[in-house]
Amino acid sequence: MTDWLWEYEGYRPEEERLREALCTVGNGVFATRGAAPEATASDAHYPGTYAAGCYNRLVSEVAGRQVENEDAVNLPNWLPLRFRTHSDEPWWTPDADAPLEYRQTLDLRAGTLSRTMLVQDREGRRLRVRQCRLVHLGDPHLAALRTTFTAEGWSGSVEVESALDGDVRNEGVARYRALAGQHLTGLSTGVTADGDVWLRCRTTQSAITVALAARTRVSVDTATTGTDLGESRASTLLTVPLADGVPASVDKTVALHTSRDRAISDPLHAARDRVARAAEFPVLLSSHRHAWDRVWRRTELSVPGEAGRILRLHLFHVLQTLSPHTAGLDAGVPARGLHGEAYRGHVFWDELFVLPFLNLHLPEVSRALLSYRHRRLPAACRAADDAGRRGAMFPWQSGSDGREETQTLHLNPRSGRWLPDHSHLQHHVGSAVAYNVWQYCQATGDTDFLHDEGAETLLQVARFWADAATWDAGEGRYRIRGVVGPDEYHEAYPLADTPGIDDNAYTNVTAAWVLARALELMRNLPAPRLAELTEQLALDTAERDRWEDVSRKLRVPFHAGVISQFEGYGELAELDWDAYRDRYGDIRRMDRILESEGDSVNHYQVSKQADALMLGYLFSPAELTALFRRLGYPMDDALWQRTVDHYLRRTSHGSTLSGLVHAWVLARARRPGAWEFAQEALRGDVADIQGGTTEEGIHLGAMAGTLDLVQRGLTGLEAREDALWLDPAPLPELSGFGFSVRYRGYWGVRIQLRDGTLHVGLPRSAQAPVHFVVPGRTFTVPPGESRRVELSEPAPAPTESPAESPVREGRLTDGLADC
């Protein structure tokens, strides 16, 4: 492998689904898993194509109840291309006839997936096959596949079927397979006068029309061509003459449109017209590469070693899920990318980990993703009203229209039991939306957005928190009850009849932050706009006074000299970590283990992922201290360090986000152990450390978060107060790194950290100088100039593992030891 190539040698059925997820190619509008063109859904393979924002609802019977779920739809498969050397032989598949040679190569720079293999038919004749596919980054409705056949030691012909297949279901996640998955109906097929085949269908409930058209051409003039049209499959049939050692290519070009697309009258007409006008494969490949070149330049990141290779792969998957084309879509941040069906393609809080990176590279994409939330602000207000609250209560899981999509039941695969799901009580997602609005506007200076959509969103979230807070006269504090925190494990108190816990520290502190920012925003709004908003929202002085009061008097619980994750956390039993590690080995999902034993995680001081420590991810030490001071609580380094130690010993890391947040928190606190957690975050998907989850879709938040760990976590980069603030906390395991960002009209602000020296530089332009703030000094850099700053504080010494962490030592170091 090289810095830009990911290669997989040999055909291994047990690894195919993981490879398919990691070899997905896409352009932000749609993406296709890296399944082999001849593959159909099986235990080893799962072809899947998903379009951003394309959802459908189905009703299933679960445990005797009717349950409705909305899913991102697996669209008709455009890939099918199979071959054989005799008409009386079955079509070749690697599962029936093992290839003699087999290699897959994902080219990140070019955005292509290639496959080279040598196969042998039943008469011993060898055929070399080379394939290259792309989902075009320049034209977001085109995809293409070139297949080149070369006979080795014989001459004859090869039969080829190039097809569009509409006989697909959503069945890529094993625990969902008992649920309804037939999302497509009304299939029809046809062929144009030019011989291009097409397929049209629609989703059963959302009535989205989907149309594909495929043009298949062969490089050999003497090839024969025909078509075969079925109800759900449209095929072009070819017989391609082969001469010994002479390559013959079959080029398949596909156009995909849905009725959600802009500037079309009919998806089928658009697909047929687009594929008819599409350039030939070499031209498409060239323009596709140029489009990727432009995007790579805008997201430049230079990190040495194996860590750099993995970060580049992460960036590739972020960019093909959320590309420049996303700016023109009504779509959110799918937690598992456009790479599979886990989490049903829903939008959670992952944008909290994604947008900070995009803000400084593709801000127009960030703005579009925030507009997705704003368009669903009325739905969030209706949800709050239904719950007896004012303001906006954003859903924990969002899809097409902004209603709550969280399942009411979830399956524990360890016990086989369907259990109530209360994760919809994670109302902190609203604070994430508000935080993203604020951070985007700080990074971009986009006051138009802040004063318009941003203000409406932020103020309605603030209104919700002020209304959700209830006064406790005995405590002399406001309290927020009946929620679930980021930990996700603790959904209720032991033996409680109702779900939810009280005064989750993360929820309360972020609610206080939202209220403070809302008040700050109102103080700074232009008077006419403030008058509009106060009239539009019926926001009077009394309500603003309550916001001020709540923002200063929300309760934060403490126990044993640390921040309590929630009220009563310190009274829960301690878990015998060593006993469970010895018994189960992998104890990341302690919730499933304990439930299968007839116990509950609600009884124990054990967290799935960072909860209280998330405060150190969102806020710098100075900000966090100011927040606690505003709330009337002490906060100093000693308290924070004790809190970090406390939860390090009590977290099972059952989420890919956990390693990321812990790496960030430890790095910012200049603590040893950050690198091990960084390794876990880096290897989360490439090594599938969660045990079979990556094949269902990559973890987009964790991937983007690792990029932001380098961009902001290790540099302390913040865009605020009309300046770029830097407070580097380098890791000794990374010898040096650099990147460029886009900041308020500047394209290509360069930041480099190496050997204790910070280097910043600006490209030539007519812009004003940029102000930089580093600990103990402030300086200005004019366009076309640079500045070097020597860092006085040394980095912490390398270490292998954080003290007393429940993660086993050595588990995460394989393959990254030399970074």
Side-chain angles (χ1 to χ4, degrees):
M1 295 189 183
T2 71
D3 287 350
W4 291 92
L5 299 180
W6 280 79
E7 296 178 325
Y8 297 94
E9 192 75 38
Y11 176 71
R12 297 181 175 86
E14 71 279 5
E15 296 180 8
E16 280 300 298
R17 283 189 169 224
L18 173 60
R19 294 182 183 182
E20 288 170 0
L22 293 174
C23 291
T24 295
V25 290
N27 57 24
V29 174
F30 75 97
T32 298
R33 286 168 58 89
E38 70 279 354
T40 56
S42 66
D43 289 340
H45 304 283
Y46 191 69
T49 291
Y50 309 94
C54 186
Y55 293 99
N56 189 64
R57 297 181 187 279
L58 292 175
V59 176
S60 306
E61 183 170 328
V62 178
R65 297 170 55 183
Q66 296 291 304
V67 176
E68 182 180 84
N69 289 303
E70 183 176 69
D71 293 80
V73 178
N74 185 12
L75 300 180
N77 186 9
W78 67 268
L79 272 177
L81 190 143
R82 53 187 183 177
F83 60 89
R84 59 189 176 191
T85 53
H86 284 290
S87 58
D88 58 353
E89 285 190 353
W91 299 104
W92 180 85
T93 68
D95 298 299
D97 297 289
L100 304 176
E101 299 174 10
Y102 196 90
R103 174 181 291 177
Q104 293 168 286
T105 303
L106 181 65
D107 187 333
L108 306 181
R109 188 189 295 275
T112 59
L113 175 62
S114 300
R115 181 173 69 153
T116 301
M117 56 189 180
L118 181 64
V119 303
Q120 184 171 281
D121 68 13
R122 295 177 183 180
E123 294 184 4
R125 299 189 301 182
R126 294 187 173 188
L127 180 67
R128 187 165 296 278
V129 183
R130 293 184 174 89
Q131 293 180 310
C132 178
R133 80 176 66 165
L134 59 89
V135 174
H136 207 282
L137 189 62
D139 186 329
H141 299 286
L142 284 180
L145 170 68
R146 165 167 280 192
T147 304
T148 302
F149 300 100
T150 306
E152 295 191 352
W154 60 282
S155 297
S157 63
V158 61
E159 293 187 5
V160 178
E161 182 204 36
S162 171
L164 301 172
D165 183 13
D167 186 17
V168 299
R169 295 170 51 87
N170 275 50
E171 52 187 8
V173 179
R175 59 190 176 279
Y176 301 166
R177 286 179 194 158
L179 307 179
Q182 186 63 59
H183 290 280
L184 301 178
T185 189
L187 283 89
S188 60
T189 61
V191 60
T192 70
D194 294 328
D196 302 334
V197 297
W198 54 264
L199 183 150
R200 177 173 55 190
C201 59
R202 70 177 186 279
T203 55
T204 59
Q205 170 271 331
S206 54
I208 299 171
T209 299
V210 182
L212 299 89
R215 180 187 73 199
T216 305
R217 300 289 185 266
V218 62
S219 63
V220 181
D221 293 337
T222 54
T224 60
T225 305
T227 57
D228 182 21
L229 302 178
E231 180 181 347
S232 61
R233 190 179 182 93
S235 303
T236 299
L237 304 175
L238 304 167
T239 301
V240 182
L242 296 179
D244 183 14
V246 180
S249 295
V250 176
D251 292 342
K252 179 180 186 179
T253 307
V254 177
L256 187 157
H257 276 279
T258 77
S259 53
R260 300 184 77 250
D261 295 338
R262 295 181 175 183
I264 66 169
S265 62
D266 170 65
L268 179 58
H269 176 271
R272 289 170 53 172
D273 182 66
R274 190 174 295 272
V275 82
R277 298 175 184 274
E280 297 301 318
F281 184 86
V283 178
L284 286 176
L285 178 59
S286 176
S287 59
H288 174 67
R289 285 173 168 166
H290 285 307
W292 268 108
D293 283 343
R294 291 191 293 273
V295 173
W296 284 122
R297 286 196 297 270
R298 293 174 65 177
T299 56
E300 178 190 359
L301 177 70
S302 176
V303 177
E306 185 71 1
R309 289 187 62 252
I310 296 175
L311 285 166
R312 191 169 286 113
L313 177 72
H314 287 184
L315 180 53
F316 176 75
H317 285 300
V318 170
L319 292 174
Q320 59 182 1
T321 304
L322 303 168
S323 79
H325 298 296
T326 306
L329 302 178
D330 178 35
V333 177
R336 305 301 284 272
L338 300 173
H339 298 61
E341 295 162 13
Y343 300 166
R344 305 185 184 283
H346 291 167
V347 177
F348 292 70
W349 71 329
D350 295 74
E351 62 215 63
L352 189 64
F353 304 90
V354 175
L355 263 64
F357 178 81
L358 294 178
N359 290 342
L360 296 171
H361 298 279
L362 300 171
E364 65 279 5
V365 174
S366 290
R367 179 169 178 155
L369 296 169
L370 292 171
S371 292
Y372 164 88
R373 291 296 193 178
H374 180 262
R375 292 186 196 99
R376 288 152 183 81
L377 183 61
C381 291
R382 291 192 294 271
D385 184 61
D386 290 344
R389 297 294 181 201
R390 303 183 69 201
M393 185 174 77
F394 280 96
W396 176 238
Q397 296 188 33
S398 179
S400 59
D401 62 7
R403 75 182 84 170
E404 180 61 76
E405 300 294 352
T406 300
Q407 65 274 14
T408 56
L409 297 172
H410 70 268
L411 176 68
N412 180 355
R414 185 177 286 273
S415 69
R417 287 188 284 267
W418 288 92
L419 307 166
D421 191 310
H422 302 299
S423 58
H424 66 280
L425 296 175
Q426 292 191 71
H427 302 318
H428 62 81
V429 66
S431 294
V433 174
Y435 181 89
N436 283 328
V437 167
W438 190 263
Q439 293 299 320
Y440 162 77
C441 295
Q442 289 287 306
T444 63
D446 189 350
T447 54
D448 286 341
F449 182 86
L450 179 62
H451 294 167
D452 188 16
E453 295 180 16
E456 292 174 5
T457 303
L458 187 59
L459 296 183
Q460 289 286 26
V461 174
R463 170 175 275 174
F464 172 79
W465 284 130
D467 191 58
T470 58
W471 179 251
D472 185 325
E475 291 281 347
R477 290 276 179 179
Y478 289 96
R479 307 185 66 181
I480 297 177
R481 301 178 184 271
V483 300
V484 171
D487 159 42
E488 293 187 331
Y489 274 177
H490 295 90
E491 295 187 332
Y493 287 104
L495 305 178
D497 295 328
T498 57
I501 49 91
D502 301 335
D503 294 327
N504 173 255
Y506 174 83
T507 299
N508 286 14
V509 173
T510 55
W513 180 89
V514 171
L515 288 161
R517 295 291 75 73
L519 292 164
E520 178 183 347
L521 175 59
M522 285 190 288
R523 288 193 296 269
N524 294 324
L525 279 172
R529 178 57 177 154
L530 178 60
E532 284 183 358
L533 278 172
T534 53
E535 179 183 358
Q536 175 187 336
L537 302 180
L539 184 59
D540 58 23
T541 302
E543 185 173 4
R544 291 172 64 172
D545 289 344
R546 178 177 171 85
W547 291 12
E548 181 74 36
D549 199 41
V550 174
S551 75
R552 295 181 180 277
K553 295 179 181 177
L554 269 169
R555 185 166 186 270
V556 178
F558 294 82
H559 76 278
V562 303
I563 301 169
S564 291
Q565 186 169 302
F566 54 83
E567 174 62 31
Y569 178 89
E571 299 171 15
L572 300 179
E574 292 283 7
L575 187 77
D576 189 340
W577 290 95
D578 290 336
Y580 274 94
R581 276 196 296 267
D582 291 341
R583 191 182 314 168
Y584 291 99
D586 186 347
I587 57 171
R588 296 175 189 275
R589 291 307 303 266
M590 281 303 307
D591 57 334
R592 293 175 175 175
I593 291 172
L594 289 169
E595 192 279 329
S596 71
E597 294 181 342
D599 203 346
S600 171
V601 74
N602 289 327
H603 297 153
Y604 299 96
Q605 293 186 43
V606 51
S607 299
K608 175 183 178 182
Q609 58 189 322
D611 192 299
L613 298 192
M614 271 295 298
L615 295 172
Y617 183 84
L618 294 189
F619 305 115
S620 69
E623 284 182 291
L624 196 57
T625 299
L627 265 173
F628 273 70
R629 184 183 302 120
R630 181 185 179 89
L631 287 165
Y633 291 108
M635 170 56 71
D636 56 25
D637 186 63
L639 170 59
W640 182 248
Q641 298 290 2
R642 290 195 304 271
T643 300
V644 171
D645 286 335
H646 185 84
Y647 292 105
L648 275 176
R649 296 191 293 267
R650 293 168 175 83
T651 303
S652 68
H653 307 291
S655 164
T656 55
L657 293 172
S658 191
L660 165 68
V661 175
H662 282 83
W664 185 295
V665 168
L666 291 175
R668 294 309 311 163
R670 274 72 170 178
R671 290 278 299 272
W675 179 239
E676 181 180 2
F677 284 115
Q679 288 175 298
E680 172 155 352
L682 287 168
R683 296 182 66 239
D685 277 328
V686 297
D688 194 17
I689 64 173
Q690 293 287 334
T693 63
T694 301
E695 68 180 44
E696 303 167 350
I698 55 96
H699 298 81
L700 193 69
M703 284 190 168
T706 59
L707 301 169
D708 201 37
L709 174 64
V710 173
Q711 176 178 271
R712 295 191 308 130
L714 301 186
T715 64
L717 175 63
E718 295 179 87
R720 58 184 173 92
E721 301 173 20
D722 297 320
L724 285 176
W725 296 61
L726 290 153
D727 182 15
L731 296 178
E733 293 86 353
L734 288 178
S735 59
F737 57 87
F739 53 87
S740 61
V741 299
R742 184 171 156 192
Y743 173 68
R744 298 194 175 189
Y746 271 103
W747 294 54
V749 177
R750 182 72 183 164
I751 298 171
Q752 188 173 30
L753 191 62
R754 183 179 300 277
D755 298 329
T757 300
L758 174 69
H759 181 277
V760 297
L762 271 62
R764 295 183 182 278
S765 75
Q767 298 280 94
V770 172
H771 301 289
F772 290 86
V773 181
V774 298
R777 72 201 92 172
T778 300
F779 57 89
T780 299
V781 178
E785 297 187 15
S786 61
R787 177 77 177 266
R788 301 176 73 90
V789 179
E790 298 298 325
L791 305 176
S792 57
E793 184 177 349
T799 187
E800 294 213 351
S801 62
E804 300 182 284
S805 169
V807 177
R808 287 193 184 277
E809 293 184 9
R811 180 181 178 87
L812 308 173
T813 58
D814 294 343
L816 289 174
D818 297 328
C819 294

